[in-house]
Amino acid sequence: MIKQEFEILVVDANLNNLKLVRKLLTEKSYQVRIATSGEMALKSVQSRFPDLILLDITLPDISGFETCKQLKDDIDTENIPIIFLSELKEESDIIKGFEVGGVDFITKPFKTEILLARIQTHTQFHSLKCNFINNNQALEKNIFELKEAQTRLLESEKMVALGNMVKGVAHELNTPIGISITAISFFRAEAARLKKLFIEGKMTKKNLSDYFEETEVLGSSINISLEKAAELIKSFKLVSVEQQLGTIIKFNLRENFADIAQSFSHVFKNKNIKIKNEIPSDIMLTNFPGILYQIYTNLLNNANIHAFEDADQGIITLQAELQKNYVVLKFIDNGKGMSDQVKHQLFDEFFTTKRGKGGSGLGMNIVRTLVTEKLAGEIKVDSEVGEGTCFTLQVPNLEGKNYNNQGRSKKNSNYTESKA
């Protein structure tokens, strides 16, 4: 049974032909509109798009060929199937009909069964095509929305990382600043005491000698504490600023990791976990330093939550090797490792072994996205239960290459696949 919504526009200058075709189609539950000229057909199509057009070639104004061509040249009507229904039988006419965009060519007089069979085929095919286009548009919309959501998640993760870093730096700053404040208070008290002894004429040589010794010790303690605070603030400023900039620059890879390791050291203090920076001091890389900060942050968080979940000591080591056009980074921990099943699913969205315990399942998926999409690199993981884990990152050196600010080459990228 033909669906009632299929509507056909029949274009023919012969009224008898129009009546005959209209009767045949109406009996088969098609909706039928008619036009007696090319211009009338074009106006009819613009008022409401039919599902199919039966088009004669010999028309009083513009020919069927020209009518078809105009419809196919319009992006809004180019997908409407057009079947030529004509008394012309020359091979050249049939070929031209297909050349201008017709999907079929039926010669008059026609057999009713053939006409109806071909109409049914093309209307159903057109319906399937429309459904496909609509589904494809819906899919493109969903993909766009997913990418937007992914971008928001990345920004959210970045802000969480920065928030944790702020807490960590604030915690680390408490000690040197507290020592400095205490020392300064003692310094002032001793100075006031010595001043009073001097005014009263009671100050002895020993009082002055003791004061000099105490102020030398206090000054050294204050200096060390404030240098420590300045170092922490410098590292934090570098990390936070470069994360926000998200620009490609040339930077020292060892110092890049040292900044985040310094800001992150408070996380592992209670677990006695050491961070070893074994990156050679002469490796310079041109890429996104801020993106690497995010990757380091997620890998360090992952190690803290999973690799050293129940541990009271451990070692995290970062190694690097400079190749011709890229750097190989190895992030190694001697934690509890992971099973083959966990390793296989590690980079999947929303996969976590901490479901219900605060795990979002996004941390490692975001790492893969950052490496492959932003840095145009690769990432793989090697791990065995009880033997620790090694993440290997291959990051291209973008110096002298024509890259856009999203991390991918405008010409080509050899680093688009992640391996888990």
Side-chain angles (χ1 to χ4, degrees):
M1 182 71 178
I2 300 301
K3 292 184 178 179
Q4 182 67 28
E5 62 264 24
F6 285 135
E7 185 175 56
I8 298 174
L9 173 63
V10 183
V11 187
D12 198 315
N14 189 311
L15 293 178
N16 291 328
N17 288 340
L18 285 176
K19 290 179 181 178
L20 173 63
V21 174
R22 185 175 191 173
K23 182 174 183 297
L24 289 173
L25 298 181
T26 303
E27 288 176 351
K28 294 297 180 180
S29 299
Y30 289 107
Q31 293 182 7
V32 181
R33 288 152 53 191
I34 61 172
T36 57
S37 69
E39 291 292 347
M40 184 184 295
L42 292 173
K43 291 178 180 178
S44 179
V45 169
Q46 291 302 324
S47 66
R48 189 173 70 253
F49 297 160
D51 296 297
L52 182 141
I53 298 173
L54 289 178
L55 181 60
D56 194 6
I57 295 173
T58 306
L59 297 172
D61 44 13
I62 59 175
S63 71
F65 291 140
E66 178 60 26
T67 303
C68 180
K69 185 176 183 304
Q70 289 189 33
L71 290 170
K72 294 302 175 180
D73 288 342
D74 188 334
I75 192 171
D76 293 327
T77 58
E78 63 180 354
N79 290 317
I80 300 174
I82 297 174
I83 298 176
F84 285 104
L85 190 61
S86 175
E87 294 177 351
L88 300 179
K89 301 179 181 179
E90 294 295 328
E91 183 177 335
S92 59
D93 294 317
I94 296 174
I95 292 173
K96 186 174 182 180
F98 286 110
E99 286 178 345
V100 296
V103 297
D104 210 339
F105 197 107
I106 302 174
T107 58
K108 300 177 184 177
F110 56 82
K111 289 187 177 180
T112 301
E113 294 80 6
I114 293 177
L115 176 64
L116 293 175
R118 292 187 178 180
I119 288 174
Q120 182 175 356
T121 297
H122 288 296
T123 51
Q124 290 181 343
F125 178 76
H126 179 59
S127 178
L128 290 172
K129 184 178 179 180
C130 289
N131 288 336
F132 174 79
I133 292 173
N134 291 335
N135 290 337
N136 190 53
Q137 290 174 343
L139 182 60
E140 288 178 351
K141 181 181 178 182
N142 289 337
I143 291 173
F144 176 78
E145 290 175 350
L146 284 172
K147 286 183 177 180
E148 288 288 304
Q150 186 181 55
T151 300
R152 289 194 295 271
L153 286 171
L154 285 172
E155 290 301 316
S156 175
E157 285 283 326
K158 182 190 295 184
M159 295 310 297
V160 168
L162 282 173
N164 290 334
M165 211 175 299
V166 169
K167 292 178 184 177
V169 170
H171 177 77
E172 291 294 308
L173 285 173
N174 277 337
T175 300
I177 291 176
I179 290 173
S180 299
I181 291 173
T182 301
I184 289 293
S185 297
F186 186 77
F187 205 122
R188 293 180 63 187
E190 284 298 290
R193 184 178 68 84
L194 193 65
K195 180 180 180 182
K196 182 180 179 182
L197 290 173
F198 176 77
I199 292 172
E200 294 174 351
K202 298 178 181 179
M203 187 175 69
T204 66
K205 184 177 181 180
K206 187 177 184 308
N207 292 143
L208 190 59
S209 176
D210 289 344
Y211 177 76
F212 287 151
E213 288 181 9
E214 288 169 354
T215 55
E216 184 177 359
V217 172
L218 289 171
S220 177
S221 177
I222 292 170
N223 185 65
I224 292 171
S225 296
L226 292 180
E227 283 184 351
K228 173 71 172 177
E231 184 182 347
L232 285 166
I233 292 170
K234 178 184 176 182
S235 296
F236 176 68
K237 285 174 68 177
L238 284 171
V239 172
S240 60
V241 169
E242 290 184 15
Q243 274 194 335
Q244 293 299 323
L245 287 177
T247 53
I248 298 174
I249 62 172
K250 188 174 184 178
F251 58 94
N252 184 284
L253 194 61
R254 179 181 176 86
E255 293 177 3
N256 176 258
F257 179 68
D259 291 334
I260 197 71
Q262 177 70 38
S263 300
F264 216 91
S265 59
H266 70 282
V267 175
F268 298 111
K269 184 178 291 185
N270 295 332
K271 290 187 176 182
N272 193 29
I273 295 168
K274 312 262 184 220
I275 301 176
K276 296 175 64 177
N277 186 351
E278 296 184 356
I279 300 174
S281 59
D282 60 344
I283 294 182
M284 301 298 293
L285 179 67
T286 301
N287 210 304
F288 291 90
I291 299 299
L292 274 175
Y293 282 137
Q294 290 178 258
I295 291 169
Y296 294 147
T297 298
N298 281 31
L299 289 175
L300 288 167
N301 273 324
N302 186 70
N304 181 46
I305 296 171
H306 299 283
F308 301 113
E309 180 180 9
D310 302 314
D312 55 6
Q313 63 178 353
I315 299 173
I316 294 172
T317 305
L318 199 71
Q319 301 173 346
E321 182 181 356
L322 181 63
Q323 301 292 335
K324 184 177 181 180
N325 296 314
Y326 58 89
V327 168
V328 176
L329 277 165
K330 290 185 180 292
F331 186 96
I332 307 165
D333 69 64
N334 65 344
K336 66 180 184 179
M338 63 185 79
S339 66
D340 288 340
Q341 181 181 358
V342 171
K343 187 168 60 176
H344 181 71
Q345 296 179 271
L346 183 64
F347 295 114
D348 292 349
E349 285 181 319
F350 304 112
F351 171 75
T352 178
T353 58
K354 299 293 182 184
R355 187 73 62 198
K357 298 180 181 180
S360 67
L362 293 171
M364 296 312 300
N365 178 261
I366 286 173
V367 167
R368 182 182 64 177
T369 300
L370 291 172
V371 172
T372 60
E373 296 296 325
K374 296 293 185 180
L375 301 184
E378 292 182 357
I379 182 170
K380 66 178 182 178
V381 59
D382 295 301
S383 183
E384 292 185 18
V385 176
E387 299 296 327
T389 299
C390 175
F391 291 95
T392 302
L393 286 69
Q394 186 168 299
V395 180
N397 188 3
L398 307 185
E399 185 173 16
K401 297 183 180 180
N402 190 19
Y403 275 71
N404 60 27
N405 234 21
Q406 297 302 314
R408 286 195 178 279
S409 170
K410 292 180 181 178
K411 294 180 180 178
N412 185 27
S413 172
N414 295 323
Y415 309 99
T416 57
E417 296 295 328
S418 63
K419 298 176 182 177

